[in-house]
Amino acid sequence: MLIKDRLKEFVRYLQLTNQYFEAECGLSNGYIANIRKGIGLMAMEKILEKHPELNKTWLLTGKGEMINESLKNEENSNRQKLYEYEKMYLDVIKSQSEQLKNYQKQTENLLNIIEELQKRLQPSYTALENIKLPEKEVE
């Protein structure tokens, strides 16, 4: 397996497209597809800076594991935390959505009450408009 193939395998492991991975690491568009014999030092530094979990020895030689074991546990822990935060976030959104629905129902009820009161008071308004007040005498 060539370096190019191992890098593609790592990108698949991350569940990214080559284009996204290249952009994320600051590599040129099509960099992975154009790898022939190896990757340059600058590209290697950019990739490892963005993905320190990648085992450099594995990438260059194919020996060892793809993911540094010490960072794999940290990565799993981070993914678990991310999952928990996403779940909390979704719970908050669900709660706020339900609260918003309740506010909308309350607003509808209040508007109906206002409309009903306007209907009940309309005859009184009409009667008041028809009452003529005595004019004040000018002294």
Side-chain angles (χ1 to χ4, degrees), residues 17-60:
T17 64
N18 288 352
Q19 293 80 11
Y20 184 88
F21 180 82
E22 291 163 346
E24 177 186 61
C25 293
L27 303 171
S28 62
N29 190 23
Y31 180 84
I32 296 173
N34 292 321
I35 295 174
R36 296 291 176 243
K37 293 180 181 179
I39 59 177
L41 181 60
M42 293 286 285
M44 176 68 80
E45 287 176 356
K46 289 178 180 181
I47 292 168
L48 292 175
E49 181 180 322
K50 198 67 179 172
H51 294 283
E53 72 275 19
L54 175 60
N55 182 342
K56 180 169 78 171
T57 304
W58 174 83
L59 181 61
L60 294 174

Side-chain angles (χ1 to χ4, degrees), residues 28-128:
S28 62
N29 190 23
Y31 180 84
I32 296 173
N34 292 321
I35 295 174
R36 296 291 176 243
K37 293 180 181 179
I39 59 177
L41 181 60
M42 293 286 285
M44 176 68 80
E45 287 176 356
K46 289 178 180 181
I47 292 168
L48 292 175
E49 181 180 322
K50 198 67 179 172
H51 294 283
E53 72 275 19
L54 175 60
N55 182 342
K56 180 169 78 171
T57 304
W58 174 83
L59 181 61
L60 294 174
T61 66
K63 294 179 183 174
E65 297 295 319
M66 176 173 49
I67 304 299
N68 288 319
E69 206 50 48
S70 61
L71 294 175
K72 191 174 192 175
N73 293 335
E74 183 179 324
E75 179 186 351
N76 288 338
S77 173
N78 288 340
R79 284 184 189 202
Q80 181 62 31
K81 287 178 186 175
L82 180 60
Y83 171 77
E84 290 170 8
Y85 287 135
E86 286 175 347
K87 187 176 180 321
M88 286 175 21
Y89 180 70
L90 290 174
D91 289 344
V92 167
I93 289 173
K94 182 179 177 183
S95 171
Q96 289 179 341
S97 176
E98 290 171 3
Q99 198 172 27
L100 182 59
K101 286 178 186 176
N102 287 335
Y103 289 152
Q104 287 172 331
K105 285 180 185 176
Q106 289 175 359
T107 302
E108 277 182 36
N109 289 338
L110 289 172
L111 288 172
N112 288 336
I113 290 170
I114 290 170
E115 188 178 319
E116 182 61 34
L117 287 173
Q118 285 175 332
K119 287 178 185 176
R120 288 183 186 179
L121 292 173
Q122 187 59 44
S124 299
Y125 288 140
T126 303
L128 285 173

